[in-house]
Amino acid sequence: MATVQVSEAEKVYILHGIRDDLRVDGRGCEDYRHMEVETDVVSNTDGSAKVTLGHTAVLVGIKAEIGKPRPLIPNEGYLEFFVDCSANATPEFEGRGGEELGTELSNILYKVFNNEHSLDLRSLCISPGEHCWVLYVDVLLLQCDGNLYDAISIAIKAALFNTKIPRVHISSDDEGGKEIELSDDPYDCMRVNVSCIVTLCKIGHRHVVDATLQEKACSVASLIISVTHKGVITCTRKVGRGSLDPESICEMTEAGRRVGKALHSPLIKLLQQEESLGKKRQKVGFLG
Amino acid sequence: MAVDMRLPTVIKAMSLSVSAADRKDMVVPGDVITSDTGFMRGHGTYVDEDKLTASVAGEVQRVDKLICVRPLKTRFNGEVGDVVVGRITEVQQKRWKVETNSRLDSVLLLSSVNLPGGELASRNDLCSAEVQSVFSDGALSLHTRSLKYGKLGQGVLVQLSPSLIKRQKTHFHNLPCGASIILGNNGFVWLYPTPGQQEEEAGGFYTSLEPVSLSDREVISRLRNCLLALAAHKVLLYDTSVLYCYESSLQHQVKDILKPEVMEEIVMLTQQKLLEQEG
């Protein structure tokens, strides 16, 4: 992970500030930084989104293909993740430097999203045991300023909103071969709705949401929570070398549930607003 | 708890009236500056087929027969007498290596530090110093031979581009809004709570780890966001511009200052005030 160096006196300043609910940039402990979301930025994918959260920028592209379901779970589709830490983000990612972070990120994404409670994997099934939708999710880190999981999950949610998966029907024809049938209506497709990830960093005796790299340097342990729009927690992970006592875990989980639940509706509203602009929307892309 | 999500918009270049006389001679790499061979070439230029060409993007400066191009965005090129704020990256036998946003790490020799308890600085500490000399390879040699320099205590560091800091007589300011600022020439700006009467006499060797009051914190956070807003719109930073920006931002909440439309509004008000003051 890209790290910044922070002196002891700066750490004390940040710690006391968080204790008083006033962070260095004036935010409260549960406020997010300014976020910008744009979908349909990569033309050769089935769905894509670019999310900028403060100075963290993430690009997600999704390709949907028909494949064979996993042998142990024949009536569900699945997602495949690949996270690429671009050297654009920080010189530490040059060459193979970003591989470790990329593998860590994709492992956690697998844990969160290949869980039937985070998203409805059964809707990705076409014919049990034989065909299902496989969504290949490619994540590219463009800029790194803390809170990667949240930014990646929002980008994945936006990209999946942008991915229209057609409803297919597989029938067997006379010779025993399989035929894929699409409905005549080009708008007959489905969308996958997923949960959002909230990262809570323990700093001193309090926790913060959306920590910057400096705040991360003052924290020794974090909790990663995946929350659906109904407020159901589907996955929890503790990261970091430090320890968390059970009371703080309960507190942080409750805060995560609250914050995560409140992330969904503004995002969906924004994405629907963007979709309603249709062709009139001025695409900003990467050179805005 | 608030989430501010929106669609991105194209950032429009914003500038108040620039008269033809004010327009500077800007070049990009590869632009021919002059075909006249009578000029001496300075930094940022090279000769290509008898034509003087720019190698960096910036403005052309002509001093008699010397032509050089001053780049708009560059690493800090220190000169003797510059005040810098740096982070100690390495502690060696007789010196410290300090990171000052230059091409090479600067050097702070132990012999150039004569403060009581000045040797107690460790790795990752911040310090303010002055450039004593420049080595032949371009590395800076720093010194803290004055009570106003030394190890920095609690506060906030803002890292900006060196070309945005205006050269002034003094870089240490106690702003009337209730905080103090050190505008390092290298682009590192340090914001800290104004020390009380007794603490100033003690000198720079005692770092207080007492919690800073909430009102001071708010002032410092607001100043930090104002600095970032000014830097985003490429406004020259000095005590007056920072103060005007602070005053223009008082009507907004501290965390709202970083929203693009609020930033634009505040910077426009600041630029207007600065123009009125000069005109």
Side-chain angles (χ1 to χ4, degrees):
Chain A
M1 171 73 89
T3 47
V4 284
Q5 308 298 334
V6 188
S7 71
E8 290 306 315
E10 280 175 283
K11 278 192 191 160
V12 168
Y13 184 85
I14 292 175
L15 217 83
H16 288 152
I18 287 172
R19 201 185 55 185
D20 296 337
D21 199 23
L22 181 68
R23 289 153 86 172
V24 163
D25 51 3
R27 285 185 286 156
C29 289
E30 292 183 1
D31 288 337
Y32 273 92
R33 286 170 284 180
H34 174 73
M35 220 186 295
E36 285 183 358
V37 179
E38 196 188 0
T39 60
D40 204 20
V41 281
V42 183
S43 51
N44 61 344
T45 53
D46 296 321
S48 58
K50 177 169 176 275
V51 168
T52 316
L53 176 59
H55 282 294
T56 301
V58 161
L59 175 67
V60 167
I62 299 191
K63 287 208 146 116
E65 294 192 4
I66 298 183
K68 219 169 149 63
R70 293 197 166 127
L72 295 169
I73 327 166
N75 56 348
E76 285 179 5
Y78 57 98
L79 277 72
E80 288 278 347
F81 291 95
F82 177 66
V83 180
D84 182 16
C85 301
S86 153
N88 276 342
T90 156
E92 287 166 26
F93 292 162
E94 195 192 359
R96 298 188 64 174
E99 251 182 61
E100 204 186 296
L101 176 63
T103 348
E104 190 190 317
L105 287 168
S106 48
N107 284 341
I108 296 213
L109 290 175
Y110 271 113
K111 272 264 143 52
V112 169
F113 289 104
N114 276 322
N115 170 352
E116 52 171 359
H117 301 289
S118 303
L119 71 157
D120 188 9
L121 290 168
R122 261 180 273 235
S123 62
L124 294 174
C125 175
I126 305 171
S127 47
E130 286 169 15
H131 298 98
C132 71
W133 283 109
V134 182
L135 298 177
Y136 291 96
V137 181
D138 291 302
V139 180
L140 177 63
L141 286 187
L142 295 167
Q143 266 187 293
C144 207
D145 190 24
N147 206 18
L148 293 172
Y149 289 105
D150 296 29
I152 292 176
S153 81
I154 292 175
I156 291 178
K157 192 174 165 79
L160 283 172
F161 184 90
N162 185 234
T163 313
K164 296 190 180 68
I165 302 172
R167 285 187 218 278
V168 292
H169 179 65
I170 302 220
S171 57
S172 43
D173 58 16
D174 305 321
E175 287 109 43
K178 299 284 178 183
E179 222 176 65
I180 300 175
E181 275 170 25
L182 281 174
S183 73
D184 288 331
D185 179 10
Y187 293 107
D188 183 19
C189 15
M190 63 164 177
R191 272 184 174 142
V192 186
N193 192 13
V194 295
S195 55
C196 274
I197 297 180
V198 177
T199 310
L200 295 125
C201 288
K202 184 106 196 297
I203 301 180
H205 291 290
R206 298 199 55 166
H207 52 266
V208 293
V209 168
D210 193 16
T212 59
L213 283 178
Q214 279 178 327
E215 289 167 340
K216 199 80 202 296
C218 304
S219 123
V220 285
S222 313
L223 209 59
I224 297 174
I225 295 177
S226 149
V227 189
T228 65
H229 66 281
K230 294 203 178 108
V232 177
I233 296 181
T234 64
C235 182
T236 321
R237 251 289 155 110
K238 180 224 165 255
V239 291
R241 309 161 303 168
S243 56
L244 290 173
D245 64 84
E247 281 146 32
S248 18
I249 295 185
C250 286
E251 240 178 68
M252 285 160 83
T253 316
E254 270 318 298
R257 180 205 297 269
R258 212 180 334 128
V259 171
K261 189 171 174 185
L263 264 183
H264 289 268
S265 58
L267 180 59
I268 295 288
K269 227 191 301 189
L270 185 71
L271 293 170
Q272 283 168 343
Q273 180 197 350
E274 193 191 29
E275 200 181 25
S276 67
L277 287 174
K279 293 220 167 66
K280 286 185 288 164
R281 171 164 74 101
Q282 188 190 26
K283 288 205 180 174
V284 175
F286 299 93
L287 299 174
Chain B
M1 190 229 78
V3 184
D4 168 40
M5 254 191 246
R6 58 180 74 184
L7 296 173
T9 45
V10 184
I11 306 167
K12 303 179 296 277
M14 172 195 108
S15 61
L16 295 175
S17 60
V18 178
S19 62
D22 282 352
R23 210 177 304 129
K24 300 180 184 117
D25 213 352
M26 297 285 193
V27 287
V28 290
D31 269 1
V32 173
I33 303 171
T34 174
S35 311
D36 190 352
T37 49
F39 289 103
M40 280 200 300
R41 61 171 203 84
H43 289 300
T45 63
Y46 66 98
V47 180
D48 182 32
E49 292 170 17
D50 285 343
K51 287 195 276 251
L52 202 62
T53 328
S55 61
V56 290
E59 59 170 300
V60 180
Q61 282 182 335
R62 223 199 80 184
V63 180
D64 286 347
K65 287 272 177 185
L66 178 69
I67 292 190
C68 55
V69 182
R70 216 167 62 107
L72 289 172
K73 186 177 171 198
T74 175
R75 289 238 168 209
F76 174 57
N77 292 317
E79 284 155 39
V80 179
D82 280 348
V83 173
V84 295
V85 171
R87 200 180 283 281
I88 296 172
T89 51
E90 255 182 77
V91 173
Q92 292 178 349
Q93 272 234 316
K94 293 226 171 101
R95 61 192 192 171
W96 291 312
K97 287 273 184 174
V98 181
E99 204 247 295
T100 54
N101 203 18
S102 348
R103 274 192 296 270
L104 294 166
D105 274 345
S106 307
V107 171
L108 180 54
L109 295 167
L110 225 57
S111 52
S112 308
V113 179
N114 48 5
L115 292 174
E119 299 85 32
L120 295 174
S122 60
R123 214 179 152 251
N124 287 338
D125 276 342
L126 284 166
C127 64
S128 63
E130 192 178 295
V131 178
Q132 184 175 46
S133 61
V134 184
F135 288 116
S136 51
D137 58 0
L140 304 172
S141 178
L142 308 173
H143 76 86
T144 55
R145 284 208 181 103
S146 165
L147 276 176
K148 61 181 180 174
Y149 300 123
K151 189 165 110 158
L152 298 172
Q154 288 194 60
V156 176
L157 180 73
V158 187
Q159 294 178 324
L160 307 165
S161 168
S163 41
L164 290 173
I165 311 279
K166 186 173 180 174
R167 275 180 197 277
Q168 286 199 287
K169 253 202 282 226
T170 168
H171 289 260
F172 293 76
H173 304 279
N174 285 342
L175 298 173
C177 48
S180 299
I181 191 172
I182 304 179
L183 288 150
N185 283 98
N186 59 337
F188 286 7
V189 181
W190 177 248
L191 296 161
Y192 60 109
T194 311
Q197 249 329 90
Q198 318 100 296
E199 281 175 55
E200 265 199 74
E201 289 157 19
F205 69 95
Y206 165 64
T207 27
S208 157
L209 292 177
E210 289 297 310
V212 175
S213 72
L214 197 61
S215 50
D216 281 346
R217 258 180 218 286
E218 226 186 281
V219 172
I220 291 178
S221 295
R222 193 178 279 280
L223 279 170
R224 175 207 180 260
N225 288 351
C226 287
L227 281 170
L228 290 174
L230 289 171
H233 290 273
K234 306 281 186 272
V235 176
L236 212 56
L237 295 169
Y238 53 110
D239 55 344
T240 319
S241 66
V242 175
L243 204 53
Y244 283 169
C245 192
Y246 179 86
E247 284 162 11
S248 317
S249 76
L250 284 172
Q251 39 178 309
H252 300 273
Q253 272 201 327
V254 181
K255 60 183 171 182
D256 290 337
I257 298 176
L258 293 176
K259 291 191 186 158
E261 67 277 3
V262 178
M263 257 207 276
E264 214 179 292
E265 185 194 320
I266 293 177
V267 174
M268 281 220 55
L269 285 171
T270 311
Q271 284 180 323
Q272 271 170 10
K273 258 193 191 168
L274 286 170
L275 273 182
E276 276 168 33
Q277 197 220 21
E278 281 155 37

